[in-house]
Amino acid sequence: MSTNFQGMSVIIVTARNESHPLEISTIMYCESCGDYTKFYGENSLPVTACGWLKTHEEKLSSHGFIRIHHKYLVNPQYIKRFPYRSPDNQVFLSNGTILKVSRQKKKSAYQKLKKYCEG
């Protein structure tokens, strides 16, 4: 569930028995780490939160986040390049991070990104 906090759209995550409001628009991507999920932001260190990536995906998909791999959920506003025809199956983020795209999710992810870009 996302909520508004001081006029921002945020997601509340639990990390080390503390609740953290993360502004959704600043989350670049999320990475699955077993029973935990790491949230990578544009202006902060990663936050490791309790819960599977699937749980967070359910909360963030309505904000346009795209599942590109079993390990990654990406905010499309930070995708700089997605060379669809490349055999490397990667996306390039605006901060220089390169993430793997699974073959199974490539077509769906590309279509979702295209839809996002078309507005």
Side-chain angles (χ1 to χ4, degrees), residues 17-93:
N17 297 323
E18 295 180 5
S19 293
H20 296 272
L22 301 178
E23 186 177 356
I24 292 172
S25 66
T26 65
I27 299 170
M28 297 182 74
Y29 69 99
C30 307
E31 178 182 14
S32 172
C33 298
D35 292 342
Y36 297 90
T37 300
K38 279 189 181 180
F39 290 82
Y40 293 86
E42 65 179 354
N43 298 322
S44 62
L45 294 173
V47 173
T48 302
C50 299
W52 295 311
L53 183 59
K54 177 74 175 165
T55 304
H56 299 296
E57 179 182 10
E58 292 167 359
K59 299 172 188 175
L60 293 170
S61 63
S62 64
H63 295 276
F65 280 67
I66 301 169
R67 188 74 176 255
I68 62 168
H69 192 276
H70 74 275
K71 283 191 66 105
Y72 301 115
L73 181 66
V74 180
N75 186 339
Q77 76 184 41
Y78 293 102
I79 296 176
K80 184 177 178 182
R81 285 189 317 128
F82 187 163
Y84 183 73
R85 299 204 190 306
S86 170
D88 294 333
N89 294 339
Q90 299 173 329
V91 293
F92 298 81
L93 303 185

Side-chain angles (χ1 to χ4, degrees), residues 66-67 84 104-113:
I66 301 169
R67 188 74 176 255
Y84 183 73
Q104 295 85 0
K105 297 191 182 294
K106 185 175 183 176
K107 184 176 182 179
S108 170
Y110 184 78
Q111 289 171 341
K112 289 177 182 176
L113 179 61

